[in-house]
Amino acid sequence: MIKEKNIIVLLSGGMDSATLLWLAKQNFEEVYAISFIYGQKHSIEIEYAKELAKIADVKQHFIVELPHLKQLGKSALTDPSLEVPSQDYTDQPPITTVPMRNLTFLSIAAAFADVYEIENIGIGIHSLDSPYPDCRAEFASAAEAAINASSVMVANKKNRIKIYTPFLGMSKVDIAKLGYKLGVPFEKTYSCYKGTNPPCGECATCRQREEALKSIKED
Ligand SMILES: [Zn+2]
């Protein structure tokens, strides 16, 4: 199989982005990773992201700090006065939505892509009907258009920057099965939104993770 040239992968340290990283290693010659410290209660995930990037032997792992999202609050992921719910989300979009998170992440990754001449940006968003607006296909294609319109590399070289979203339309279970096939070390990933160590096992993210990992064993 002919590999594409290069990619920068948004790596949170969770199982989806870890699987994306392993998939990228298979499909691209050069793989970079980028992780964000944005005031998330589960910033412990960054330590997992560092370890995963090391195991995957990425070309470079960038860690970027974004203080404004905590300052902004209003999300249960960053605001100390709001609790991460243990039950399923009822609000749409959920209280765990972080304002403009993926747009911010993609635009920063795009800046690195522009400087390092990276032609693809990988993001592990999945399932077309996500409750998070910035995890939908519509968002990804609009972001891609904006990034190409503002890229110096694109203006100079007349190529394109592609947003790589292989998991759109896949469920968490599909991703877990793919990750298993690719040899992702799931024991070195972290997903809990409450940020406890060990993971709380109760929040929606913990439960979705558990269900997905269980489905591998059932196969
Ligand atoms: Zn949890």
Side-chain angles (χ1 to χ4, degrees), residues 78-176:
T78 55
D79 193 328
S81 70
L82 298 172
E83 215 184 308
V84 173
S86 290
Q87 61 280 21
D88 282 331
Y89 306 128
T90 46
D91 297 345
Q92 295 290 342
I95 193 169
T96 44
T97 306
V98 179
M100 300 288 158
R101 181 171 62 174
N102 284 345
L103 182 59
T104 309
F105 288 2
L106 282 180
S107 67
I108 292 170
F112 280 84
D114 228 17
V115 170
Y116 285 80
E117 303 205 339
I118 302 167
E119 294 173 359
N120 296 274
I121 302 169
I123 181 167
I125 52 177
H126 58 90
S127 64
L128 292 169
D129 57 345
S130 168
Y132 298 107
D134 62 353
C135 287
R136 297 176 189 152
E138 184 191 1
F139 160 73
S141 57
E144 185 179 275
I147 285 166
N148 278 283
S150 55
S151 163
V152 173
M153 174 178 74
V154 169
N156 286 340
K157 292 174 72 181
K158 312 284 181 220
N159 58 354
R160 300 274 303 167
I161 293 176
K162 234 174 81 188
I163 309 283
Y164 180 64
T165 53
F167 299 161
L168 268 182
M170 280 171 75
S171 68
K172 192 121 182 149
V173 169
D174 297 333
I175 295 169

Side-chain angles (χ1 to χ4, degrees), residues 6-13 17-18 20-22 24-25 30-36 46 48-64 105 108-110 112-113 116 118 120-123:
N6 54 16
I7 187 167
I8 181 164
V9 172
L10 269 61
L11 179 66
S12 70
S17 66
L20 183 65
L21 187 64
W22 259 248
K25 286 288 291 182
E30 268 178 11
V31 179
Y32 297 81
I34 186 165
S35 303
F36 296 94
I46 297 298
Y48 287 79
K50 283 183 190 167
E51 179 72 13
L52 288 164
K54 223 163 108 188
I55 297 167
D57 194 25
V58 300
K59 191 168 167 68
Q60 238 176 303
H61 182 203
F62 308 108
I63 310 232
V64 176
F105 288 2
I108 292 170
F112 280 84
Y116 285 80
I118 302 167
N120 296 274
I121 302 169
I123 181 167

Side-chain angles (χ1 to χ4, degrees), residues 192-193 200-201 203 206:
C192 177
Y193 271 175
C200 78
C203 73
C206 273

